[in-house]
Amino acid sequence: MTPGEFSVPKIQVSGDFKLGDVSGQAAIGENITQTVYKDCTFILPDGSNVHGKSWLYTQGIRPTTDPTNIFGRERELDKIDEFFKDIPALVITGYRGTGKSTLASMYLDRLGKRGTFVGMYWRKVDETIDISDVVGGFLTVVGKPIKDLGQYKIGDQLNLLFRELNAAPYFLVLDNFEIVLDSQTNVSQKPGFSELIEKANESAGRSRVLFTSWEYPASERGIRPKCYPIGGIDEAAAIQLLRKSGLTEHDNELKKVIELSGGHPLALILLVQIVKEGAETLSSILDDNTLWLGEKGEVAERILDKVYTERLNTEECRLLQYLSLLREPLPTRAIATIANDPGWTDIFIKKIASNLIRKSLLQKTGENYWEESLIQNYMYIKMFDKAKRHGFAYQYYLSLPMPKKRTNKEDLRFLIEAYYHACMAKEYDKAASIILDYNLHENLERFGEYRTLVEIYHKILPKDPLRETPLISNIQTHCSILGNLGVAYSTLSQERIAIEYYEKALEISQKVGDKHNESASFGNLGRAHILLGRPKDGIIYYEKALEIARQIGDRKAEGIRIGNIGNAYSDLGEKRTAIEYYEKAMKIAQEIGEIRNQGVWLGNIGNAYSILGEQRKAIECYGKAKEIALQIGDKQSECAWLGGLGNAYNNLGETEAAIEYFKKALEIAQKIGDKRNEGGLSGNIGCACYALRDIKNAITYFENALNIAQEIVDKLGELTWLGNIGNVYRTMGKRLEAVKYYERAVKIAKEIGDRRGEGTWLGGLGNAYRDLGEMGKTFEYYAKALKIAHEIGDRGNEGVWFNNLGNIFRDKKKYKEALSFYLLAKDIFTQIEDPDIETTESSLKNLKEELGEKEFEQLEAEVGPKKEEIIKKMLKEIDE
């Protein structure tokens, strides 16, 4: 391609794709309201192509720009052109009804004629939107959809979007952006939109982003796009509008009206309706001083009020009020449901709607009706029975057919709208049933929409959920919602907030005797304390949860609690005990047909075997667990078992294979925003790089892992990566730096009762002091590490410390003891197929060369049968 050229987009369309009038190349696809393509290549479902240079995509309402009804704005369009020569992002601001959206739509028409952008994307912002909707809609239309985009970190989603915006010139419009802004600060309260503003300002490449908003948006750091405030249309255009609408008054009167209204286009259009009805003259309206007080936007509302109170009949007022409830354009069926009146038939509604459209109070797109925001806001305030009508609205949405297969958030739209209206109707029990009975929460969890879940749960809780009276009458349901909210916060790595909700749920469930929620709350608290590095506390909570589950005969909960106790023992280093619990839990899962939990406990058994050094058993368990995760589409478990396979292969010395598994798992963790696993996998890659003596990458991955562990208060992770950074410094010859990191790791291990971690980094201190020539400290730390490894059944590290102690005794010329340690180490490494056997065999070879073959064989014959007795005696002396 030559400079300035861009490639013709290839757009993959779904099975319901319809190609409209070829002259205009209008297309309607899945989840697309209106799409107009010109000179594109469509890849149709049958594999054939339709070739057409640019496209326009519209999601939501885009105002029409019929030149017979739109007047003026050429100066404003030219001004926007000037702005975009120098800046990548612009926001058009102004009062409601001034025509911000119409101006943006007109500008798209202008750009479409030029063909300077490969594609243009219009997105109307509404209350349900999140950053995944914006990013996902754009990536879908450019033919690069991302499955489960909501599970990606927000930063990664925006990187994907702006990577495409830098690849070719696109023009994006985000209309009604004020919806996501806080009314006091003008900063978005929805995650991702603050970052979107900043990246639009800084990283848009040849693309351009246009916002429309009542208010001037800012990012959390105070960064704003260039602001272009607009007022009404100019005098000449306003006069043309009034004349075209049928006003024949003298120019002086028209100019006075334009001056008093500030040229507010909607105010002028509504004013025409008053005069055309014939009850009042323009002169008499001008003499009504109360109509023209205040800001120009307030003038428009006063004129609307006059139309409403003096020019509309009861049915017209009601129809406008009913539509004001809705957050999207809807057909007559929706209006009839909200009216709940047998007289409001399809024909009756269409007749009223036709009158309102003629009076410029109602809009229609296809078969759906909607209102300008100024009118919608005014009519909603006027409605006196909002709760009742919202109740009918949620009934309408629940009556709509739900997709049988739910694959993304869009498939849940009707449920989300039904839930919103149930909350607005203050029918909180019904709202809760929409979450639980329709599995809304489980679907959102599956799509990784945890931020949406937090927002939804809070709508049916009081402003202060931990202190105020519940809104839901069923206290058990209220407890479930509190617990679920805690789980959502936990998944977002906000563990301390999660604990507050778990404890409140526990308090309420105990008060009312709700054993099911009491057990769940104890279980959630156990998990939270495990994640905060407190496994002993976790066991206490889990055992209480298990006792209750057995009392009430909840087999599923019983299995989960048993498995969770296994997790806690695993964290304490007691792997054999952990395996016993996992096997009990897996047996229950098999008996009740819980396939997902079968995979979980299989994988956890794999973890335990891997740490115990039995890698072949671990690989077998991980492989079976991964297949289950793939079968049920469980990304988080797939990530975990890929990481487990990486660990097992790494332990077998197959480092390249290990790194491959770790990176696959890391990619999934980053996509689904799993900070805990992201940190762990970064550390595992660091370990593999360290094994390959790739020191630079090793320390980079370790430090990233340590930072994440500290950020999410993961004590187990923190001590692990502290110790590994100590290893790197030791390799670099910085032994005193290494000692500092090892000591910090040992301290944390003791604090949280992690005996395996304590033993590992005590051994690390032994290694560092050996390098420093301080053999007394070396022997002390190796002996302590060996004792812990022996007590907790950590066979791999037991072999390591046997070997290292053998080295110390060989240096002291105590060959009998040295050979005993080496032989025991060799036995262990042989049994567990540990690649460290090569180190011990090398030690034995060196000892043989040092003693001579004959003396070595005599010594081996002497100590071989008695090696364990010799070691027991020595360990006893160490204890004493």
Side-chain angles (χ1 to χ4, degrees), residues 227-490:
C227 182
Y228 181 32
I230 67 166
I233 56 178
D234 61 44
E235 184 181 90
I239 289 176
Q240 187 180 3
L241 168 64
L242 294 172
R243 294 289 189 207
K244 177 72 166 50
S245 301
L247 294 192
T248 59
E249 280 76 4
H250 193 277
D251 275 2
N252 287 338
E253 286 185 315
L254 298 183
K255 289 179 180 179
K256 185 65 174 175
V257 166
I258 295 165
E259 178 189 353
L260 291 172
S261 67
H264 192 294
L266 184 56
L268 295 174
I269 291 169
L270 293 174
L271 190 65
V272 168
Q273 306 307 320
I274 299 175
V275 176
K276 286 176 69 175
E277 293 293 327
E280 293 187 61
T281 65
L282 191 57
S283 297
S284 64
I285 293 172
L286 285 170
D287 290 337
D288 184 357
N289 292 329
T290 62
L291 203 61
W292 310 103
L293 297 174
E295 299 287 347
K296 305 310 178 187
E298 294 173 324
V299 169
E301 288 190 20
R302 288 196 179 90
I303 295 173
L304 175 58
D305 186 64
K306 189 175 182 67
V307 172
Y308 178 82
T309 56
E310 300 178 10
R311 297 291 182 268
L312 298 181
N313 60 39
T314 302
E315 288 77 13
E316 289 172 335
C317 290
R318 285 180 180 172
L319 190 148
L320 291 171
Q321 288 176 13
Y322 298 156
L323 270 175
S324 72
L325 291 171
L326 304 171
R327 305 195 292 184
E328 59 183 351
L330 284 176
T332 55
R333 180 189 164 195
I335 300 170
T337 303
I338 295 170
N340 193 37
D341 185 330
W344 280 58
T345 63
D346 182 72
I347 294 173
F348 179 75
I349 293 170
K350 286 181 177 178
K351 181 179 178 181
I352 301 172
S354 179
N355 291 335
L356 292 170
I357 291 171
R358 179 177 54 80
K359 295 176 180 180
S360 303
L361 293 167
L362 194 62
Q363 307 292 324
K364 187 180 182 186
T365 301
E367 294 302 315
N368 297 326
Y369 297 93
W370 55 281
E371 299 167 335
E372 295 280 2
S373 62
L374 185 148
I375 296 172
Q376 183 177 26
N377 185 66
Y378 174 88
M379 295 301 168
Y380 189 74
I381 292 171
K382 287 293 183 183
M383 183 178 294
F384 68 90
D385 56 351
K386 294 183 182 69
K388 176 181 177 182
R389 302 300 166 180
H390 276 297
F392 294 138
Y394 84 67
Q395 291 174 17
Y396 165 75
Y397 277 106
L398 287 182
S399 73
L400 298 175
M402 306 290 173
K404 292 181 180 179
K405 186 177 181 181
R406 301 172 187 176
T407 59
N408 53 44
K409 183 181 172 183
E410 179 64 24
D411 291 336
L412 305 174
R413 183 170 60 88
F414 293 161
L415 281 178
I416 291 172
E417 287 301 311
Y419 176 79
Y420 162 77
H421 286 291
C423 290
M424 296 301 290
K426 298 184 178 179
E427 295 194 28
Y428 299 111
D429 289 340
K430 186 64 180 180
S433 75
I434 292 171
I435 292 178
L436 302 174
D437 297 346
Y438 288 85
N439 296 321
L440 178 59
H441 62 313
E442 291 182 1
N443 283 284
L444 288 171
E445 285 175 2
R446 188 155 52 90
F447 305 148
E449 298 283 351
Y450 292 103
R451 296 176 184 86
T452 301
L453 268 172
V454 168
E455 184 178 329
I456 280 177
Y457 286 138
H458 274 293
K459 283 187 183 295
I460 53 174
L461 294 174
K463 189 172 183 180
D464 186 347
L466 301 177
R467 294 170 183 82
E468 296 179 6
T469 303
L471 301 175
I472 303 169
S473 63
N474 187 307
I475 198 65
Q476 286 89 351
T477 302
H478 177 70
C479 279
S480 295
I481 295 298
L482 288 173
N484 289 350
L485 180 57
V487 171
Y489 275 119
S490 175

Side-chain angles (χ1 to χ4, degrees), residues 412-639:
L412 305 174
R413 183 170 60 88
F414 293 161
L415 281 178
I416 291 172
E417 287 301 311
Y419 176 79
Y420 162 77
H421 286 291
C423 290
M424 296 301 290
K426 298 184 178 179
E427 295 194 28
Y428 299 111
D429 289 340
K430 186 64 180 180
S433 75
I434 292 171
I435 292 178
L436 302 174
D437 297 346
Y438 288 85
N439 296 321
L440 178 59
H441 62 313
E442 291 182 1
N443 283 284
L444 288 171
E445 285 175 2
R446 188 155 52 90
F447 305 148
E449 298 283 351
Y450 292 103
R451 296 176 184 86
T452 301
L453 268 172
V454 168
E455 184 178 329
I456 280 177
Y457 286 138
H458 274 293
K459 283 187 183 295
I460 53 174
L461 294 174
K463 189 172 183 180
D464 186 347
L466 301 177
R467 294 170 183 82
E468 296 179 6
T469 303
L471 301 175
I472 303 169
S473 63
N474 187 307
I475 198 65
Q476 286 89 351
T477 302
H478 177 70
C479 279
S480 295
I481 295 298
L482 288 173
N484 289 350
L485 180 57
V487 171
Y489 275 119
S490 175
T491 307
L492 294 171
S493 299
Q494 298 181 52
E495 214 61 57
R496 298 188 187 282
I497 297 176
I499 285 176
E500 292 181 351
Y501 286 101
Y502 298 151
E503 289 177 340
K504 186 63 179 179
L506 176 62
E507 175 192 332
I508 295 172
S509 61
Q510 289 177 326
K511 187 180 295 184
V512 301
D514 179 0
K515 289 295 184 180
H516 177 80
N517 274 316
E518 183 182 0
S519 175
S521 299
F522 275 128
N524 285 334
L525 283 165
R527 179 177 179 273
H529 284 283
I530 291 286
L531 293 174
L532 288 173
R534 304 168 188 162
K536 290 183 178 178
D537 291 337
I539 289 173
I540 293 171
Y541 284 114
Y542 282 144
E543 287 179 339
K544 289 179 179 179
L546 174 60
E547 181 182 354
I548 296 170
R550 285 172 171 164
Q551 287 174 8
I552 63 177
D554 187 342
R555 293 280 284 161
K556 180 178 178 181
E558 180 185 356
I560 292 172
R561 305 305 173 225
I562 290 172
N564 287 340
I565 294 172
N567 290 338
Y569 277 111
S570 179
D571 288 345
L572 288 169
E574 300 181 34
K575 303 301 175 182
R576 297 290 177 192
T577 303
I579 289 173
E580 291 176 11
Y581 279 98
Y582 292 147
E583 288 176 340
K584 290 176 183 177
M586 188 168 67
K587 183 179 179 182
I588 292 174
Q590 289 170 335
E591 289 172 357
I592 64 175
E594 277 284 330
I595 187 168
R596 182 183 183 278
N597 284 337
Q598 290 178 48
V600 170
W601 308 131
L602 267 170
N604 286 3
I605 293 170
N607 289 339
Y609 277 128
S610 181
I611 291 170
L612 289 170
E614 300 178 42
Q615 305 306 327
R616 297 299 176 190
K617 288 183 179 180
I619 288 170
E620 181 182 354
C621 290
Y622 288 140
K624 291 178 181 178
K626 181 173 72 72
E627 289 306 312
I628 290 175
L630 285 169
Q631 178 184 338
I632 64 176
D634 184 349
K635 283 291 183 185
Q636 196 159 34
S637 292
E638 182 187 354
C639 171

Side-chain angles (χ1 to χ4, degrees), residues 118 221 298 491 714:
V118 64
R221 297 193 300 161
E298 294 173 324
T491 307
D714 175 8

Side-chain angles (χ1 to χ4, degrees), residues 686 694-704 725 728-729 732:
D694 182 359
I695 300 302
K696 183 178 179 181
N697 277 322
I699 202 163
T700 297
Y701 280 110
F702 284 146
E703 287 179 343
N704 183 55
I725 293 173
V728 176
Y729 278 116
M732 296 168 68

Side-chain angles (χ1 to χ4, degrees), residues 48-79:
S48 61
N49 292 341
V50 177
H51 178 70
K53 246 174 223 173
S54 65
W55 51 261
L56 169 63
Y57 168 98
T58 300
Q59 180 74 45
I61 302 166
R62 177 185 167 222
T64 58
T65 55
D66 183 353
T68 62
N69 297 318
I70 304 295
F71 302 93
R73 297 301 192 191
E74 288 300 318
R75 180 177 59 83
E76 287 87 346
L77 293 170
D78 291 340
K79 188 69 174 175

